[in-house]
Amino acid sequence: MKWSSLFLHSHKEDPREAEVISHKLMLRGAMIKRLASGIYSWLPYGLKALRKVENIIREEMDQAGAQEVLMPAVQPAEIWKESGRWEFYGKELLRFTDRKGGEFAMGPTHEEVITTIVRDEVRSYRDLPINLYQIQTKFRDEIRPRFGVMRSREFIMKDAYSFDTDEEGAAKSYDAMRRAYERIFSRCGLRFKAVEAESGPIGGSYSHEFMVLASTGEDVILSCPSCSYAANLEKAEIAAPAEPAFRQAPAGSPEKVRTPDVRTIEEVCGFLGVTPQELVKTLIYDTGKGVVAALVRGDHEVNEAKLKRAVGCESLELADEAAIEKHTGAPRGFAGPVNLPVQIVADYGLLDAGPYVTGANEEDHHLTNVWLSRDAKVDQVADIRNAGKGDLCPRCGQAPLDDIRGIEVGHIFKLGTKYSNAMNAAFLDEGGEQRPIIMGCYGIGVGRVLAAAIEQYADENGMVLPVSLAPYPVVVLPVNVGEEEVMGAASKIYEELTARGVDALLDDRDARPGVKFMDADLIGAPYRVTVGMRGLKEGVVEIKERATGTVEKIRVDEAVDYCMAKTKEAGSDY
RNA sequence: CGGGGCGUAGCGCAGUCUGGCUAGCGCACCUGCCUUGGGAGCAGGGGGUCGGAGGUUCAAAUCCUCUCGCCCCGACCA
């Protein structure tokens, strides 16, 4: 491709809408353009990079035995009602009606569709296992899209679904995907880590996320420095104490103090002169089937997924003001466990300490000198808070966890029979008995992989793309297109590279060299061949490696071989 | 959904408080000259429903009302 005819208008200034580096650079490098909040067009340069990611994914998925399909983006409500998710998925599911009043949704994921396909086509154990995948546009109506294509509403995703006859087979499918993902992300040149994860509204029992390590990542990962444990903050467990008991309380009783308009942990601490560690935070949750009070230490945070599991309920949300008043007898900010007539679940973090300050279940009052063993009726003690940096590793128990940030680029789930049961996807086994198919699902955010790669490697001059993702691994840059000798040498190198299968870009624009250098840096081309009179006089061109900045003088007739070797070497980096 | 900010040329912004010339600057774009190893210079030029609607006024980018959109923080969510 010649730059003069490439639809790539770079921007010198950072766009105002962008916050993180990858978003800024993708806009400046004309990879994407925003149409509406969280909705982007892919421009030629970006699309070419996106296709590189897709192709790596395709090759590895095919290699792993999966077969590509393409399902509809628009899905009828009917199948979502069948799986039960029409009710559960919430507002993120973009719903609309057609002209006849039929209900539809833009697919945020495709478990329902794939299950209807497989249940109709698969009858026998002989048809299994299978793994079907697609690369397709999804829509999730995110509350707050941000960071460009990193968290957009419309986005391209690779999603795969495996179907097995038994748990053993499902585990094999899961492992095959896990290995495929490792190859995919390695080939994309990413530094990443697979971590244990929550499965969220997709469901299922067991899941891993693939995290690209980057300080601007939205997710927090806790990992153990002395063993292989690593988990999303949302999932990270806290080791159960050896003896889950509250500290023995001395005789006495709580004391009520007046705390007018003092509600938050911070306010209580300031007002009473105590630390958050001495407080019990009492949160009232509505499970749909009743109310439960969750107790955590003042400096801890409730983890709703853990709480759900502890309580054994399907849904959970913070109770509203009216429900809080009804159950605690006081407005928000004054709830406490003493004489609270609801189910109470306390976190491990509250064990073996005291006394505490709690709400008094009375407006403008708190209690001090509260001992949970003596003054409260706790129904259950469990791990219901978020783990954090410094908590002991739940696996080896040898070291405190570290926290690092990551960008989730892939997520694999063991679904079990959640969808096959709900939607009646079954097969006949060897004994002629009907059994539900065991499923797994496996997602990769394609655009997010590209954004994450840019995020991970960018420097102050722009993108630094790995060869495997770079639309043009080599930019041939004639310093002055007016000099016949320069242009001739550059064209020759460019044509030879192209003929030998390298996607080269010839910067044939009649612009000043500085402009072209800056642009080559901005778009992150891994190798730049600079052709100028200065070098030609010595019979050389200069080849600069974007990632390291190193420049080598190479004889003109060896330039093509040099680029071939460099790009091949980097391209097979897995 | 709560809090904050912003909509003026493709991009980045000034002008709005205190209404008044033909709506301005930088980048980008077009023409010419000149220049060519890290975002040159000179001259000329094109491009605007000042987010939209309504109102006040002799006069509105500017004041008032309504409305739409975007960004950030939070809550929420894979």
Side-chain angles (χ1 to χ4, degrees), chain A residues 6-11 15 21-34 40-53 149 447 449-455 462-466 469-472 521-526:
Chain A
L6 182 64
F7 187 73
L8 196 175
H9 304 107
S10 65
H11 298 265
I21 187 78
S22 59
H23 189 194
K24 286 179 182 172
L25 292 176
M26 289 177 87
L27 288 164
R28 285 186 52 201
M31 279 187 157
I32 57 172
K33 187 170 175 65
R34 198 193 75 232
Y40 289 83
S41 300
W42 287 91
L43 305 182
Y45 189 65
L47 184 61
K48 210 160 153 70
L50 191 74
R51 293 283 185 244
K52 298 249 171 172
V53 178
V149 298
V449 169
L450 179 59
I454 292 167
E455 192 73 33
M463 305 181 214
V464 181
L465 294 175
L469 302 188
Y472 303 102
D521 284 348
L522 173 66
I523 68 169

Side-chain angles (χ1 to χ4, degrees), chain A residues 277-390:
Chain A
Q277 285 88 333
E278 299 172 73
L279 261 60
V280 173
K281 201 186 318 191
T282 305
L283 295 166
I284 309 297
Y285 280 92
D286 190 346
T287 66
K289 286 180 280 189
V291 161
V292 56
L295 270 44
V296 294
R297 213 167 71 185
D299 57 327
H300 288 155
E301 282 174 3
V302 169
N303 178 311
E304 293 185 5
K306 290 181 177 181
L307 182 59
K308 260 185 219 174
R309 236 169 282 133
V311 177
C313 63
E314 290 251 342
S315 73
L316 197 69
E317 56 182 25
L318 274 173
D320 58 27
E321 193 78 38
I324 291 174
E325 284 223 45
K326 182 180 157 210
H327 289 97
T328 70
R332 192 200 310 267
F334 301 100
V338 179
N339 293 324
L340 186 63
V342 303
Q343 184 187 351
I344 296 177
V345 183
D347 181 66
Y348 289 147
L350 291 167
L351 295 172
D352 199 34
Y356 290 108
V357 173
T358 76
N361 298 324
E362 183 181 333
E363 183 160 13
D364 293 343
H365 288 84
H366 278 77
L367 298 177
T368 62
N369 196 32
V370 172
W371 292 86
L372 292 173
S373 56
R374 181 189 69 195
D375 304 318
K377 181 189 66 63
V378 175
D379 296 285
Q380 190 183 354
V381 183
D383 172 19
I384 59 167
R385 71 169 168 98
N386 282 339
K389 181 185 171 72

Side-chain angles (χ1 to χ4, degrees), chain A residues 293-530:
Chain A
L295 270 44
V296 294
R297 213 167 71 185
D299 57 327
H300 288 155
E301 282 174 3
V302 169
N303 178 311
E304 293 185 5
K306 290 181 177 181
L307 182 59
K308 260 185 219 174
R309 236 169 282 133
V311 177
C313 63
E314 290 251 342
S315 73
L316 197 69
E317 56 182 25
L318 274 173
D320 58 27
E321 193 78 38
I324 291 174
E325 284 223 45
K326 182 180 157 210
H327 289 97
T328 70
R332 192 200 310 267
F334 301 100
V338 179
N339 293 324
L340 186 63
V342 303
Q343 184 187 351
I344 296 177
V345 183
D347 181 66
Y348 289 147
L350 291 167
L351 295 172
D352 199 34
Y356 290 108
V357 173
T358 76
N361 298 324
E362 183 181 333
E363 183 160 13
D364 293 343
H365 288 84
H366 278 77
L367 298 177
T368 62
N369 196 32
V370 172
W371 292 86
L372 292 173
S373 56
R374 181 189 69 195
D375 304 318
K377 181 189 66 63
V378 175
D379 296 285
Q380 190 183 354
V381 183
D383 172 19
I384 59 167
R385 71 169 168 98
N386 282 339
K389 181 185 171 72
D391 281 320
L392 210 57
C393 172
R395 287 287 181 282
C396 70
Q398 295 301 304
L401 298 172
D402 269 342
D403 64 339
I404 44 177
R405 298 193 80 89
I407 299 165
E408 178 199 351
V409 289
H411 199 163
I412 59 179
F413 304 76
K414 279 189 183 174
L415 293 175
T417 56
K418 172 173 171 166
Y419 296 92
S420 41
N421 277 334
M423 302 184 68
N424 203 22
F427 67 99
L428 290 177
D429 66 15
E430 289 104 315
E433 201 169 321
Q434 180 153 306
R435 295 192 352 223
I437 303 177
I438 316 289
M439 292 174 56
C441 87
Y442 317 93
I444 293 178
V446 182
R448 200 184 267 189
V449 169
L450 179 59
I454 292 167
E455 192 73 33
Q456 193 168 58
Y457 294 116
D459 65 20
E460 63 280 3
N461 295 317
M463 305 181 214
V464 181
L465 294 175
V467 169
S468 58
L469 302 188
Y472 303 102
V474 179
V475 168
V476 181
L477 194 152
V479 169
N480 183 348
V481 299
E483 301 260 14
E484 239 172 77
E485 200 180 337
V486 168
M487 201 53 203
S491 299
K492 190 158 172 256
I493 292 170
Y494 161 72
E495 272 155 27
E496 228 173 290
L497 282 168
T498 306
R500 290 173 66 174
V502 174
D503 259 325
L505 182 61
L506 177 66
D507 193 349
D508 60 337
R509 295 175 298 172
D510 184 15
R512 296 178 64 80
V515 172
K516 303 210 281 190
F517 291 144
M518 296 301 271
D519 270 344
D521 284 348
L522 173 66
I523 68 169
Y527 294 95
R528 186 187 82 199
V529 180
T530 308

Side-chain angles (χ1 to χ4, degrees), chain A residues 64-66 128-131 161-181 183 206 412-414 438-442:
Chain A
L128 298 173
I130 46 171
N131 185 324
Y161 305 88
S162 67
F163 301 84
D164 283 276
T165 56
D166 54 25
E167 283 298 341
E168 200 189 340
K172 267 190 200 162
S173 297
Y174 189 87
D175 284 342
M177 282 297 107
R178 190 178 168 149
R179 286 195 306 276
Y181 274 37
R183 285 193 300 271
Y206 185 70
I412 59 179
F413 304 76
K414 279 189 183 174
I438 316 289
M439 292 174 56
C441 87
Y442 317 93

